[in-house]
């Protein structure tokens, strides 16, 4: 049973890993063949089990393929400037200095209806008042397609946008003009009601709490909006290992449901007539489920929260049915349902880290729960207090170790003080912040939430202080080079083997785990990286760090450095002059026309001006330019047309020559791949 979601997820992963979009019939044919095979081998356990796993994997493949077809919608293939956009506001996200609007069913000037995306995200300056959710607005904006990966193998926002139904992004160049439109109907009414509630919560918190940092953290815990938290504070939370407290997930949903469960049960128990005649524990469990659902809708239903609601519902349902509420089968069921609802979300860090933590914690709980229960049964208050502290410490250690590989793969970061910081922050969140947040929810309809928000903010202030304390210590975090996909897959397989099995052979899972952790050391990072539009290029300096072609690049250059395992910014290319290493293996020489980068005997020309192409093409082994380089005599040319077709490029100089990889080549021919195929 526990391996079924593994097989289901493996089938979905196979679909996303293909380089070509498969025919619609291939999964059905495979499922039919596996079904016939199961009828043949059904009386033999091992062949039947393998066939069931194959059928389950095919099911995951078909679900992912069907989901990709179901969400298909137009995507912008080119940038559009000064477009007039009209659409209904479905979400308002408040960010420092700006507001991001999600517009549904927009109309865009100069685009036909069949070319118009179903959803747009547009950034609006906070100088203009944000429109109300549900209103129809018109504005002028500059639009572009969803951004391609910064380099081959980096985060694929194009794929994520495809499954979100997001066909374009941009920024407004005018104020928002409200338009008359019919009211929304159906499910959208409920979604907009919760979106308006999130806006009201943000306004009430801002009016009550004066400090903007504390207000942004309090808002994030109440309505799920992390966008308003300053980047410096987010960095402290990441470095201290407390970033999970800002992402509404299992901890918050479990606490919210648990508090309401115990409060309702205690209140019903105070009435003898009800306590003696009604099943108050089961009634309280029903209220726990309802509170989890309401909390999920209020914070926008992110994927970790959906998983948490499924598991919370199963726990409360088990209580209502007089069954054991803590079991790995809960995770298996939640995994199957969550992958079926959002197959692409399985590839993201939220899904992976939340499930990894829960699976590891339940595996550890199954090993020691009976022994701890026996100790706790006859213990006094002092021993029980020590057991509680030890439980938090053990939980922090297990969850930190379980999520470490995923943090390495997605963020290239290790937080060394995560156990200590969680030992302080989790009890504050559990026993102070979350209870006051529920009281604030209850008082908001009456406008009397201020005392509860102030009390909640005292706890938030302590959590922020903890994040700052541990996040700014020496060696608070370590950045490592990006882990290859193959190493990550081996590591995940080892972790599943370790946690799912209960016999001694489970410890064999440590071998692939260690191999996966060591895999980044086997990867050679590229020597030259080129953005998809050619606007920024980075080369590897003599000291091994990356130097970019100027001050631009923003998030793209940050991604390159993070995947390089080095977040420090190196000096940009010199306007004139250059550098060379002591052994003469690499050097760079620049002038007003451009730069020549030499590595292992190969010369790569990086012209700043198109007029330098004639000379560079005659002396260089490779030429990289954002201009059109027709007739260039160099052996390798990366120009505007190559970038348009291949996206971001990387060049690695080896003894055999220059190896090239492109982001579009890594993506393959898929529905969500970038334009210019």
């Amino acid at each position: 049973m526990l391996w079924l979601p593994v097989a289901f997820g493996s089938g979905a992963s196979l679909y996303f890993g293909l380089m070509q979009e498969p025919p619609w019939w291939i999964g059905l044919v495979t499922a039919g063949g596996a079904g016939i095979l199961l009828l043949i081998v059904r009386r033999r356990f091992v062949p039947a089990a393998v066939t069931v796993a194959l059928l389950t994997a095919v099911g995951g493949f078909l679900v992912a393929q069907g989901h990709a077809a179901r969400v298909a919608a137009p995507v912008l293939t080119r940038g559009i400037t000064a477009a007039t956009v009209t659409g209904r506001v479905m979400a308002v996200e408040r960010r420092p200095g700006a507001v991001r609007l999600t517009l549904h069913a927009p109309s865009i000037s100069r685009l036909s209806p069949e070319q118009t995306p179903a959803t747009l995200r547009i950034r609006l300056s906070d100088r203009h008042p944000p429109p109300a959710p549900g209103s129809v607005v018109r504005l002028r904006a500059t639009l572009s397609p969803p951004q391609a990966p910064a380099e081959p193998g980096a985060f694929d926002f194009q794929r994520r946008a495809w499954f979100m139904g997001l066909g374009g992004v941009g920024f407004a160049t005018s104020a928002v003009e409200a338009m008359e439109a019919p009211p929304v109907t159906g499910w959208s009414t409920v979604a907009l009601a919760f979106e308006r509630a999130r806006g009201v919560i943000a306004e009430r918190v801002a009016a009550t709490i004066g400090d903007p940092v504390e207000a942004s953290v309090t808002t994030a815990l109440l309505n799920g909006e992390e966008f308003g938290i300053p980047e410096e504070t987010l960095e402290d939370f990441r470095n201290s290992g407390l970033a999970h407290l800002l992402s509404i997930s299992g901890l918050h949903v479990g606490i919210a449901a648990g508090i309401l469960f115990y409060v309702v049960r205690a209140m019903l128990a105070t009435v003898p007539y009800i306590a003696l005649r009604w099943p108050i524990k089961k009634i309280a469990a029903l209220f726990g489920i309802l509170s989890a659902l309401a909390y999920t809708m209020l914070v926008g239903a992110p994927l970790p929260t959906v998983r948490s609601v499924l598991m919370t519902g199963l726990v409360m349902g088990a209580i209502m049915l007089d069954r054991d509420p803590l079991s790995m089968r809960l995770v298996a069921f939640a995994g199957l349902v969550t992958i079926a609802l959002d197959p692409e979300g399985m590839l993201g860090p939220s899904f992976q880290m939340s499930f990894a933590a829960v699976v590891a914690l339940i595996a550890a709980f199954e090993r020691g729960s009976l022994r701890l229960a026996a100790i706790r049964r006859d213990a006094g208050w002092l021993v029980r207090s020590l057991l509680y502290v030890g439980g938090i410490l053990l939980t922090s250690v297990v969850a930190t170790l379980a999520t470490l590989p995923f943090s390495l793969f997605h963020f290239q970061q290790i937080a060394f003080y995560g156990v200590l910081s969680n030992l302080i922050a989790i009890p504050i969140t559990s026993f102070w912040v979350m209870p006051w947040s529920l009281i604030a929810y209850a008082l908001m309809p009456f406008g009397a939430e201020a005392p509860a928000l102030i009390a909640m903010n005292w706890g938030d202030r302590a959590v922020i202080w903890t994040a700052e304390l541990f996040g700014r210590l020496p060696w608070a975090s370590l950045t490592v080079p990006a882990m290859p996909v193959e190493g990550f897959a081996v590591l995940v397989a080892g972790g599943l083997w370790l946690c799912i099995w209960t016999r001694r052979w489970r410890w064999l899972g440590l071998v692939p785990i260690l191999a996966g952790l060591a895999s980044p050391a086997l990867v050679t990072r590229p020597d030259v990286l080129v953005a998809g539009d050619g606007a920024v290029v980075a080369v590897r300096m003599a000291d091994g760090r990356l130097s970019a072609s100027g001050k631009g690049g923003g998030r793209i250059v940050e991604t390159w450095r993070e995947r390089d395992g080095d977040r420090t910014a190196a000096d940009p290319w010199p306007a004139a002059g250059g550098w060379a290493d002591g052994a003469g293996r690499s050097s760079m020489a620049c002038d007003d026309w451009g730069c020549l980068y030499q590595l292992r005997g190969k010369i790569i020309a990086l012209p700043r001006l198109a007029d330098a192409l004639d000379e560079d093409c005659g002396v260089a082994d490779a030429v990289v330019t954002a201009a059109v380089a027709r007739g260039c005599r160099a052996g390798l040319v990366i120009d505007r047309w190559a970038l348009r077709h291949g996206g971001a490029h990387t060049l690695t100089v080896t003894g055999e020559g220059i190896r090239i990889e492109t982001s579009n080549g890594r993506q393959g021919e898929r529905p969500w791949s970038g334009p210019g195929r």
Side-chain angles (χ1 to χ4, degrees):
M1 172 63 187
L2 300 183
W3 287 101
L4 289 181
V6 178
F8 193 78
S10 298
S13 299
L14 175 63
Y15 169 77
F16 291 115
L18 295 177
M19 299 301 294
Q20 298 280 342
E21 186 64 20
W24 63 269
W25 48 264
I26 191 169
L28 296 176
V29 171
T30 306
I36 295 173
L37 180 61
L38 181 60
L39 291 175
I40 297 173
V41 302
R42 66 185 183 277
R43 298 185 184 279
R44 288 178 287 176
F45 176 75
V46 174
V50 173
T51 308
V52 169
L54 175 61
L55 270 173
T56 307
V58 174
F61 184 96
L62 287 172
V63 166
Q65 187 178 25
H67 194 61
R70 183 178 63 83
V71 301
V75 178
L76 293 178
T77 59
R78 58 182 176 85
I80 303 175
T81 58
T84 301
V85 181
T86 304
R88 188 179 294 275
V89 179
M90 296 302 294
V92 179
E93 299 168 349
R94 298 151 191 84
R95 293 169 173 262
V99 173
R100 192 171 70 179
L101 308 179
T102 299
L103 300 183
H104 180 65
S107 64
I108 304 173
S109 62
R110 297 152 47 194
L111 275 186
S112 61
E114 58 271 14
Q115 296 176 312
T116 303
T119 307
L120 293 174
R121 272 185 183 171
I122 297 180
R123 187 182 179 94
L124 177 71
S125 171
D126 62 356
R127 293 177 298 176
H128 306 297
S135 61
V136 175
V137 298
R138 181 169 61 192
L139 49 82
R140 301 277 287 177
T142 295
L143 305 175
S144 62
Q147 190 175 35
E151 67 168 271
F155 172 66
D156 192 348
F157 179 65
Q158 287 180 329
R159 185 184 63 210
R160 177 80 285 229
W162 175 270
F163 285 90
M164 293 170 59
L166 183 64
V169 296
F171 58 90
T173 57
S174 72
V176 173
E177 177 185 357
M179 307 289 291
E180 292 186 4
V184 295
T185 57
W187 174 252
S188 296
T189 305
V190 178
L192 285 172
F194 279 100
E195 183 63 35
R196 295 189 186 100
R198 283 194 285 273
V200 170
I201 290 172
E203 293 172 358
R204 300 279 183 89
V205 171
T208 305
I209 301 173
D211 186 274
V213 175
E214 296 173 5
S216 63
V217 172
T218 302
T219 301
L221 294 175
L222 286 171
N223 68 0
E225 289 186 0
E226 303 175 43
F227 313 107
I229 302 176
E231 181 60 32
E232 183 181 2
T233 302
L234 286 174
E235 191 69 16
D236 289 335
F237 273 83
R238 285 191 287 262
N239 292 340
S240 62
L242 297 178
H244 66 97
L245 294 181
L246 300 178
S247 176
I248 305 300
S249 57
L251 175 67
H252 309 79
V253 174
I255 294 173
I259 289 174
L260 199 62
F261 170 81
Y262 284 111
V263 168
V264 170
R265 189 180 182 190
M267 291 176 63
L268 294 177
T270 59
V271 183
Y273 180 86
I274 295 176
L276 295 174
R277 292 170 175 81
W278 293 6
I280 61 173
K281 186 176 181 180
K282 298 179 180 181
I283 295 173
L286 177 61
F287 275 90
I289 294 174
L290 295 177
S291 68
L293 288 172
Y295 189 55
T296 299
M297 292 297 297
L298 196 57
V299 299
L303 192 62
T305 315
V306 173
R307 186 268 309 164
S308 303
V309 168
L310 288 172
M311 295 191 65
T312 302
L314 284 171
V315 170
M316 296 299 176
I319 292 175
M320 296 171 69
L321 297 174
D322 298 319
R323 295 291 188 267
D324 181 12
L326 293 176
S327 168
M328 194 73 82
R329 291 174 180 262
L330 293 175
V331 191
F333 176 80
L336 283 170
V337 175
T338 309
I339 296 172
L341 291 175
D342 186 8
E344 196 275 339
M346 175 190 64
L347 306 179
S350 296
F351 175 95
Q352 294 172 4
M353 296 181 78
S354 59
F355 267 97
V358 172
V359 168
L361 286 170
I362 291 183
F365 174 81
E366 289 175 343
R367 296 286 293 179
S369 59
L370 295 178
R371 186 178 304 172
L372 289 175
I375 297 174
R376 181 182 175 85
R377 190 181 304 117
D378 302 323
W381 67 268
L382 179 59
V383 175
R384 292 192 176 200
S385 300
L386 293 175
L387 285 175
Y388 172 75
V389 174
I392 294 179
L393 182 61
L394 178 62
T395 299
S396 300
V397 171
V398 172
T400 299
L401 292 177
T403 56
L404 173 62
F406 303 92
S407 179
L408 290 176
F409 179 73
H410 291 284
F411 309 115
Q412 295 81 54
Q413 189 175 28
I414 305 173
F416 287 113
Y417 304 125
V419 173
L420 296 176
S421 60
N422 279 279
L423 190 62
I424 298 174
I426 287 181
I428 296 173
T429 303
S430 303
F431 292 105
W432 187 267
V433 173
M434 291 303 296
W436 281 111
S437 70
L438 296 180
I439 296 173
Y441 286 139
L443 295 177
M444 276 188 184
F446 310 102
E449 73 285 342
L453 290 178
I454 292 173
M456 177 184 175
N457 184 58
W458 293 340
D460 292 336
R461 189 179 301 166
V463 173
I464 295 171
W465 175 84
T466 304
E468 292 176 348
L469 172 65
F470 289 99
R472 299 178 185 181
L473 287 176
W475 293 95
S477 65
L478 176 67
T479 306
V480 297
M483 181 184 296
V485 175
E486 297 81 4
F488 180 66
V490 169
L491 190 152
V492 171
L496 290 169
W497 185 277
L498 178 65
C499 292
I500 291 179
W501 293 122
T502 57
R503 301 188 183 185
R504 288 187 177 180
W505 63 57
R506 69 188 301 175
W507 299 109
L508 293 175
L510 292 175
V511 176
I513 289 175
L514 294 175
L517 290 173
S519 61
L522 305 177
V523 176
T524 301
R525 290 288 297 158
D527 300 303
V528 180
L529 297 100
V530 187
D533 57 0
V536 61
V537 181
V539 300
R540 195 162 302 282
M541 300 173 61
D543 61 1
R545 294 192 300 164
L546 290 176
S547 174
S549 55
K551 296 182 179 179
R555 183 56 193 161
I556 293 177
V557 176
E558 288 181 18
T559 300
W560 291 345
R561 288 176 177 145
E562 288 173 1
R563 292 178 60 80
D564 226 33
D566 184 7
R567 293 176 180 267
T568 59
D571 295 333
W573 297 359
W579 51 261
D581 68 356
R585 290 169 300 194
S586 64
S587 63
M588 190 167 189
C590 297
D591 57 22
D592 294 339
W593 295 76
C595 297
L596 290 178
Y597 176 62
Q598 184 173 358
L599 180 65
R600 302 184 185 96
K602 301 294 182 181
I603 298 176
I604 301 174
L606 307 162
R608 291 190 175 111
L609 302 176
D611 294 340
L613 280 172
D614 288 339
E615 180 180 351
D616 290 342
C617 288
V619 299
D621 298 287
V623 174
V624 178
T625 176
V628 178
R630 291 191 181 94
C632 184
R633 301 183 303 278
L636 174 63
V637 179
I638 300 174
D639 65 351
R640 181 185 302 170
W641 300 113
L643 293 169
R644 182 172 296 181
H645 178 77
H649 282 58
T650 62
L651 287 73
T652 304
V653 181
T654 66
E656 293 75 26
I658 301 176
R659 187 177 72 246
I660 295 180
E661 192 173 8
T662 66
S663 59
N664 287 353
R666 177 72 71 90
Q667 283 180 315
E669 300 282 346
R670 308 308 301 273
W672 51 83
S673 300
R677 295 229 138 303

